[in-house]
Amino acid sequence: MLYVPGCNKRYLEKAKELRADTIILDLGDPILLDAKIQSRDNVIEMLQERGYGKREVVVRVNDFDSPWGLDDIKAVAPLQPDAILFPNIESKEDIINCIAELDRCGGQDISVMVMIESPLAVLNAKEIASASDRIICMVLATSDLISQMYARTTQDRIALTTSLSLVILAARAYGLSVIDGIHSNLKDTASFEYACRMGRDMGFDGKSLVHPDQLAYANDAYTPKPAEIEQAKAIISGLAEANASGRGTVVVDDKLVEHHHVTAAKRLLVQYEMMEELENNI
């Protein structure tokens, strides 16, 4: 998921060619105050053009207690982006109020994503995830979280692991996607690649990015490899054959396989097929 600042029309245009699954048209905190209105106008133009192909197009709006948040919603809701990303959600009431305002502005059919960026939001992740069936994704803002925790950024991300796991658990408990936070040190590609693979292994669906140069690393980490695809197929067929012969389990590549492994294997294949389709239509 690539954040693209609404204030920069060149970046907004360039994003139409990038191999990102999701483009987040950003009106939020990174935009200078005197560029807020122009950014909104630029994003409106991009939504009207519908030039991002099969990519998911999301708009991150400003906080509702800012001078721009409500006007952002009024402007973009009629243009029907794939989702609205609401920042600084800390409670069930926060997201219910945001969705109510979105509906009042004509966005009843628009999906919702929530940003988890504070200690309170992490502790309330379960109630936030359960607040509405309009929510499709939880997005970590790990840089903000680190600052509010008074923690330090390290390669092993030790300060974040508990928070990441809590949000992943909340998302999975309610059937939501969940996306890891950004990596702000653009030159430290080794740490970024490590963070991508760590997030993948923890259970994230993908990573938030702030620069196109990060795309290759994230795509490589989160795209299933050919060997993983073949193993998934072997797991599915292996247990099916075992069940047909009256056995409830089977050993595939020296590992015991049960039904939950088949469920995970089928999910991996669906994920891979969706990626292939997107790649072929970018």
Side-chain angles (χ1 to χ4, degrees):
M1 298 177 72
L2 178 67
Y3 289 96
V4 184
C7 59
N8 193 312
K9 291 195 74 172
R10 184 170 69 87
Y11 290 174
L12 292 168
E13 289 291 338
K14 182 178 176 60
K16 296 176 180 179
E17 305 171 357
L18 298 175
R19 294 194 174 278
D21 302 292
T22 301
I23 301 297
I24 301 177
L25 306 176
D26 197 359
L27 301 175
D29 287 346
I31 308 302
L32 294 174
L33 302 187
D34 60 3
K36 291 287 189 181
I37 305 303
Q38 184 59 57
S39 293
R40 186 191 299 145
D41 291 341
N42 292 343
V43 167
I44 289 171
E45 181 181 340
M46 293 298 107
L47 291 173
Q48 289 171 333
E49 289 181 5
R50 300 189 180 278
Y52 291 103
K54 294 287 186 178
R55 299 168 188 82
E56 184 179 47
V57 178
V58 177
V59 179
R60 176 165 72 163
V61 297
N62 285 281
D63 294 355
F64 276 11
D65 59 359
S66 75
W68 309 279
L70 289 175
D71 287 338
D72 288 345
I73 290 295
K74 292 175 183 176
V76 303
L79 300 173
Q80 299 292 304
D82 293 310
I84 298 292
L85 176 57
F86 288 109
N88 291 313
I89 299 300
E90 292 190 319
S91 68
K92 183 175 184 176
E93 289 72 23
D94 283 350
I95 191 60
I96 288 175
N97 291 337
C98 288
I99 292 173
E101 192 60 46
L102 178 60
D103 289 350
R104 280 193 288 270
C105 295
Q108 297 92 338
D109 298 325
I110 300 176
S111 297
V112 168
M113 299 183 179
V114 297
M115 292 204 73
I116 304 297
E117 47 193 302
S118 71
L120 183 58
V122 170
L123 294 174
N124 288 337
K126 177 180 179 292
E127 71 168 61
I128 294 169
S130 67
S132 170
D133 58 9
R134 293 274 293 283
I135 302 172
I136 61 171
C137 185
M138 305 181 84
V139 182
L140 269 294
T142 47
S143 182
D144 297 81
L145 187 57
I146 281 282
S147 295
Q148 293 190 44
M149 291 172 62
Y150 309 151
R152 295 187 180 185
T153 300
T154 58
Q155 179 162 313
D156 61 10
R157 308 177 81 194
I158 190 169
L160 286 171
T161 51
T162 297
S163 297
L164 298 180
S165 293
L166 286 171
V167 177
I168 291 169
L169 286 168
R172 297 308 183 214
Y174 291 94
L176 307 181
S177 297
V178 59
I179 302 296
D180 197 1
I182 68 165
H183 188 85
S184 55
N185 188 337
L186 302 181
K187 292 186 177 181
D188 189 358
T189 53
S191 291
F192 176 70
E193 184 174 25
Y194 179 88
C196 288
R197 300 186 187 284
M198 175 188 176
R200 175 201 63 196
D201 293 346
M202 289 187 71
F204 281 106
D205 293 298
K207 190 155 181 69
S208 313
L209 311 179
V210 291
H211 195 282
D213 287 351
Q214 297 177 323
L215 280 165
Y217 297 94
N219 283 337
D220 181 69
Y222 279 95
T223 301
K225 302 298 183 288
E228 293 176 293
I229 299 301
E230 291 307 312
Q231 184 181 50
K233 293 177 180 177
I235 286 171
I236 295 168
S237 61
L239 189 59
E241 292 171 6
N243 290 166
S245 64
R247 291 178 288 127
T249 61
V250 69
V251 174
V252 176
D253 294 333
D254 298 324
K255 296 178 182 177
L256 184 67
V257 171
E258 301 176 83
H259 285 290
H260 65 87
H261 295 112
V262 170
T263 300
K266 289 180 177 178
R267 181 182 182 276
L268 183 73
L269 293 181
V270 169
Q271 180 187 37
Y272 182 71
E273 289 168 3
M274 291 172 67
M275 290 178 177
E276 287 282 284
E277 182 180 358
L278 181 61
E279 283 288 317
N280 293 333
N281 287 280
I282 286 181

